[in-house]
Each structure stands twice: as structure tokens, then as C-alpha cells.
């Protein structure tokens, strides 16, 4: 049985979450190393739609992310073993992978970070942001034809 | 960009107090030693770029942009 709690979010008001929804990033995210607890809020719940990676402890800290594999066909991330070890997986295929989006004033110019995705092991809810050895773009235009 | 050739164990000095030494080199890798004052930030470029990109990404989109994003997600 998991306890529910309410958290304040940056974009979605007050949201109820369960203890076991909390994803722990031992190293935080780059530039935000001191924030380790996040929840992934799937408000739209459709393939290819954005999700909200919201800090549990800092309501103003939130990232909009996309399930990378659902929008980029042939995405084959190569992460360092030490990053996989951090979330307790042997093979990256076992993990969920999300790309952080940068959304400016014009949604058509949204970019997603394919080079350093967020890797989450949903079996133990551990996460890490990994810089891949692949030559992927840090700012990949999400809407290529826009 | 300034381009300088160096041999193993040769170095460079930047601004009197930053020293860079080439320690090892192989076909596709070099090992570099850096001596710098504590207040000088040294980062691998990809880590620095990822930090900057995360900071940009963490900026809250305008309300209208958020609404448009949610709407377009639902239409997928």
C-alpha cells in the first residue's frame, strides 16, 4: 500500500501522487544536481505526447519531456555502463527513455535533447540523465517540417 | 581558434595562473592535465552544453504555448 501525497507543480496546479510514483535521480539532472526526486506526470496519455517531469521538492522545477523512442524511429542510445549501473539495468532496452524539450515562444521551434536523455528504470524508479556516446543532437527540431 | 601543436608533457599557460599539460596521447584520445585556481570552472564540453540546455529547457513556457502543446499532444 502506497501513501498518496499532494504536490504543487509548475504547470499543472496541485497534483496527487503516490510515494511509489517518485523517481529518484541520485545525481540529479545536469545543472540541477541538488534535486533528486521527480515524478513523471502523463496528463495527455497518448503515444508521442509530452509528459511533465516535475520536481517533488521544488514546484518551480519542471521539464517537459517526450518518450524518445515513440517519436524518433531507429533511436539507439549508447550509454556508459556506469550510467546504466546507477539505475540498475544491464541493457538500455530495459529502460524508459525520455528527451527533455526546450519550448520557446513558438511551439514549432521546440527542440528535444537526443544527446543526453533521461533514462528511467521503472522497476525500481531510479533515473539518470546520461550523455550518450552517439552523435545525436542536443537540439533536435521536433517539428522538422514546421 | 588558436591552434598550437604540443608534445607529451609540454604545456600551455593561460592568463598566468592556468596551466594545461598534455599527459598522454593515442590515436583517438588525449589525456590532459589542468591546473587552475579553484574559482575557475572546468567542465567537459558535453556536460557544460547539457547543463546549459537543461537550464534553457527548465524555463516555464507561456500559458498560451502550454495550452497549444497540450492541445497538439491530444491530437496526435
Amino acid at each position: 500500500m502506497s501513501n498518496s501525497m499532494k504536490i504543487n507543480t509548475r504547470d499543472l496546479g496541485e497534483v496527487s501522487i503516490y510515494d511509489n510514483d517518485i523517481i529518484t535521480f541520485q545525481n540529479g539532472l545536469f545543472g540541477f544536481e541538488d534535486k533528486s526526486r521527480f515524478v513523471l506526470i502523463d496528463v495527455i496519455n497518448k503515444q508521442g505526447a509530452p509528459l511533465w517531469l516535475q520536481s517533488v521538492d521544488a514546484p518551480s522545477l519542471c521539464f517537459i519531456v517526450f518518450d524518445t523512442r515513440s517519436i524518433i524511429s531507429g533511436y539507439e542510445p549508447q550509454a556508459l555502463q556506469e550510467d546504466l549501473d546507477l539505475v540498475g539495468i544491464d541493457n538500455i532496452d530495459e529502460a524508459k527513455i525520455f528527451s527533455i524539450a526546450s519550448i520557446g515562444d513558438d511551439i514549432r521551434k521546440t527542440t528535444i535533447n537526443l544527446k543526453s536523455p533521461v533514462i528511467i528504470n521503472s522497476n525500481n524508479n531510479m533515473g539518470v540523465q546520461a550523455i550518450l556516446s552517439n552523435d545525436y543532437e542536443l537540439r533536435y527540431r521536433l517539428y522538422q517540417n514546421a | 581558434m588558436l591552434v598550437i601543436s604540443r608534445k607529451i608533457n609540454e604545456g600551455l599557460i593561460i592568463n598566468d595562473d592556468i596551466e594545461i599539460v598534455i599527459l598522454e596521447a593515442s590515436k583517438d584520445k588525449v589525456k590532459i592535465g589542468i591546473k587552475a585556481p579553484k574559482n575557475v570552472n572546468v567542465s567537459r564540453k558535453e556536460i557544460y552544453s547539457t547543463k546549459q540546455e537543461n537550464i534553457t529547457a527548465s524555463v516555464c513556457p507561456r500559458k498560451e504555448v502550454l495550452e497549444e502543446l497540450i492541445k497538439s499532444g491530444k491530437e496526435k
Side-chain angles (χ1 to χ4, degrees):
Chain A
M1 192 61 195
S2 177
N3 290 320
S4 102
M5 61 193 273
K6 288 199 165 100
I7 61 163
N8 288 314
T9 68
R10 186 191 69 181
D11 299 341
L12 307 164
E14 196 177 65
V15 171
S16 283
I17 61 162
Y18 289 97
D19 284 352
N20 58 7
D21 293 330
I22 295 174
I23 302 158
T24 303
F25 291 80
Q26 274 181 338
N27 297 345
L29 300 177
F30 290 103
F32 302 92
E33 286 79 3
D34 59 335
K35 300 289 183 295
S36 60
R37 303 197 304 161
F38 285 82
V39 279
L40 196 57
I41 306 170
D42 190 358
V43 269
I44 301 172
N45 195 17
K46 269 201 170 173
Q47 199 186 348
L51 299 93
W52 274 251
L53 186 64
Q54 169 68 49
S55 163
V56 173
D57 304 299
S60 64
L61 181 62
C62 181
F63 297 93
I64 293 170
V65 302
F66 289 83
D67 178 332
T68 319
R69 291 193 190 103
S70 77
I71 51 175
I72 306 291
S73 62
Y75 187 66
E76 284 185 18
Q78 289 166 0
L80 294 176
Q81 188 60 45
E82 62 187 66
D83 285 327
L84 301 183
D85 288 345
L86 265 175
V87 296
I89 51 171
D90 293 323
N91 188 321
I92 200 159
D93 295 339
E94 301 164 35
K96 289 188 174 168
I97 298 176
F98 299 93
S99 287
I100 296 177
S102 289
I103 301 161
D105 281 346
D106 181 355
I107 192 174
R108 290 166 305 174
K109 292 189 176 147
T110 297
T111 63
I112 56 170
N113 183 346
L114 299 182
K115 176 71 177 174
S116 15
V118 169
I119 297 175
I120 295 171
N121 177 358
S122 30
N123 293 318
N124 61 7
N125 272 353
M126 298 293 283
V128 65
Q129 184 174 21
I131 297 177
L132 305 178
S133 51
N134 310 67
D135 195 16
Y136 286 137
E137 286 174 68
L138 200 68
R139 293 183 201 92
Y140 175 84
R141 283 283 289 265
L142 183 57
Y143 306 106
Q144 292 282 324
N145 301 320
Chain B
M1 188 191 289
L2 175 65
V3 178
I4 302 174
S5 291
R6 299 276 63 196
K7 291 180 178 162
I8 304 296
N9 292 327
E10 288 183 341
L12 297 168
I13 302 289
I14 301 172
N15 249 0
D16 294 335
D17 54 1
I18 300 171
E19 182 180 358
I20 295 173
V21 184
I22 308 304
L23 300 173
E24 272 178 45
S26 64
K27 195 171 160 233
D28 58 355
K29 217 176 201 176
V30 289
K31 204 175 255 185
I32 297 168
I34 300 157
K35 262 189 225 162
K38 278 226 155 59
N39 63 342
V40 174
N41 276 318
V42 178
S43 287
R44 287 179 174 82
K45 188 183 170 187
E46 62 273 25
I47 291 179
Y48 178 82
S49 311
T50 299
K51 274 187 190 178
Q52 295 302 315
E53 193 55 26
N54 279 355
I55 290 166
T56 304
S58 72
V59 174
C60 183
R62 285 189 298 122
K63 193 163 174 276
E64 308 85 82
V65 174
L66 265 179
E67 283 166 0
E68 199 183 343
L69 184 74
I70 293 174
K71 188 164 157 261
S72 76
K74 284 180 177 162
E75 282 165 359
K76 275 195 197 299

